């Protein structure tokens, strides 16, 4: 017959064996960029280019109705620190609306005193990354047989229009991939089973996407890369 002490020790060992530290990693998605030679030449010969950020309503793919002005401000602030003269986007939109959709780009350039339109064409803060592969404490690759690990990444797309020539001068897509350097996760068998039961009971739930602070840092970094790709 097992003694109470022996039973307690065996219980502790069983619980401990079911909980292990695991690290997951995802492969970084590379950017997709294109810049015309004319844009590179223009920026090489223009020390203080005048730009405006345009943000169509349809560019935001998110279930959250949270105000995104902090992201637009982050983009504009990064452009300013990179040597651009940033025009007021609301005033620019008013000028276009007053033209009754008959936009003459030469007149638009004169009225707005702007060289380039940088358009945020798409922002997706809820791109699912999922894996059942993890690495143990000895960096050995293992397989998770009960469920999988999920993290969310993001992507942003820009389009650059030269007002003087009325042409697309560049298209850019940048990605935020989570856990590139590894994320530590720890789930016991008990927690995994509980999570699976809750998923079956509640069904799919709306997802908020990448956390606000992480998304803002990604947008700042993407804007830096945008400027680099435009100029070099």
């Amino acid at each position: 017959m097992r003694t109470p002490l022996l039973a307690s020790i065996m219980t502790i060992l069983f619980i401990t064996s079911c909980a292990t530290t695991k690290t997951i990693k995802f492969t970084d998605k590379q950017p997709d960029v294109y810049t015309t030679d004319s844009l590179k030449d223009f920026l090489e010969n223009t020390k203080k280019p005048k730009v405006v950020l345009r943000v169509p309503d349809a560019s935001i793919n998110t279930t959250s109705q949270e105000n995104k002005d902090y992201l637009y401000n982050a983009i504009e602030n990064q452009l300013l620190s990179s040597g651009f003269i940033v025009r007021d986007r609301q005033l620019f939109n008013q000028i276009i609306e007053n033209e009754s959709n008959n936009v003459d780009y030469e007149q638009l350039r004169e009225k707005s005193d702007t060289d380039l339109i940088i358009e945020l064409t798409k922002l997706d803060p809820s791109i699912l990354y999922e894996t059942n592969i993890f690495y143990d404490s000895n960096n050995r690759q293992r397989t998770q047989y009960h469920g999988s690990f999920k993290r969310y990444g993001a992507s942003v797309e820009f389009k650059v229009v030269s007002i003087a020539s009325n042409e697309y001068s560049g298209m850019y897509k940048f990605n935020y991939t989570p856990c590139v350097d590894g994320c530590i996760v720890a789930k016991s068998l008990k927690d995994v089973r509980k999570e699976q039961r809750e998923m079956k009971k509640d069904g799919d739930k709306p997802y908020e996407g990448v956390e606000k602070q992480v998304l803002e840092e990604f947008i700042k970094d993407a804007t830096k890369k945008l400027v680099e790709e435009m100029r070099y």
Side-chain angles (χ1 to χ4, degrees):
M1 180 179 296
R2 294 176 179 173
T3 64
L5 178 59
L6 178 59
S8 298
I9 293 174
M10 292 183 67
T11 300
I12 293 172
L13 291 174
F14 174 77
I15 293 174
T16 303
S17 66
C18 290
T20 181
T21 300
K22 306 170 184 179
T23 301
I24 59 173
K25 299 178 182 179
F26 294 106
T27 302
D28 195 12
K29 282 188 178 181
Q30 296 302 306
D32 184 10
V33 301
Y34 172 74
T35 306
T36 62
D37 292 336
S38 59
L39 177 57
K40 292 182 179 181
D41 291 341
F42 171 77
L43 292 176
E44 184 177 353
N45 295 301
T46 307
K47 294 182 178 180
K48 294 286 186 178
K50 302 167 186 176
V51 302
V52 64
L53 175 67
R54 294 205 69 199
V55 187
D57 293 336
S59 66
I60 306 302
N61 178 20
T62 176
T63 58
S64 172
Q65 297 302 315
E66 179 185 5
N67 190 297
K68 300 298 181 183
D69 281 345
Y70 75 98
L71 294 177
Y72 311 148
N73 292 335
I75 295 172
E76 291 176 331
N77 289 338
Q78 187 58 53
L79 291 172
L80 282 169
S81 64
S82 299
F84 290 85
I85 297 174
V86 180
R87 297 305 189 199
D88 186 293
R89 61 179 181 270
Q90 293 181 348
L91 180 59
F92 186 86
N93 288 336
Q94 288 178 3
I95 293 174
I96 292 181
E97 292 172 1
N98 291 337
E99 294 296 321
S100 301
N101 295 324
N102 297 318
V103 180
D104 182 306
Y105 276 82
E106 185 60 35
Q107 292 182 5
L108 180 60
R109 183 184 184 188
E110 293 177 0
K111 291 182 178 180
S112 65
D113 192 20
T114 303
D115 300 312
L116 303 172
I117 299 173
I118 297 178
E119 185 175 341
L120 192 161
T121 56
K122 186 176 181 181
L123 171 61
D124 190 345
S126 55
I127 298 176
L128 178 64
Y129 288 75
E130 184 174 8
T131 183
N132 66 343
I133 301 298
F134 68 92
Y135 299 85
D136 63 18
S137 57
N138 294 316
N139 201 34
R140 293 174 298 191
Q141 183 173 300
R142 303 292 189 183
T143 301
Q144 175 80 6
Y145 293 106
H146 303 283
S148 60
F149 301 103
K150 299 178 182 180
R151 290 292 186 273
Y152 284 85
S155 69
V156 62
E157 297 180 27
F158 296 98
K159 178 174 65 180
V160 178
V161 178
S162 172
I163 297 181
S165 59
N166 186 21
E167 67 175 5
Y168 292 140
S169 298
M171 295 184 181
Y172 311 85
K173 180 178 181 180
F174 301 102
N175 304 288
Y176 164 65
T177 306
C179 305
V180 172
D181 298 321
C183 293
I184 296 177
V185 292
K187 289 186 178 182
S188 67
L189 183 58
K190 178 181 177 181
D191 289 337
V192 170
R193 288 174 175 171
K194 180 180 178 181
E195 182 179 297
Q196 290 175 336
R197 289 195 300 269
E198 290 177 348
M199 289 175 63
K200 291 180 180 179
K201 179 180 177 181
D202 300 334
D204 294 332
K205 297 182 179 180
Y207 177 68
E208 295 297 331
V210 174
E211 294 180 0
K212 180 177 179 179
Q213 183 177 355
V214 176
L215 186 60
E216 184 174 4
E217 287 302 316
F218 163 60
I219 288 297
K220 289 179 181 177
D221 183 62
T223 307
K224 288 181 182 178
K225 293 177 180 177
L226 169 67
V227 172
E228 292 173 358
E229 293 293 341
M230 288 168 61
R231 282 179 166 166
Y232 306 109

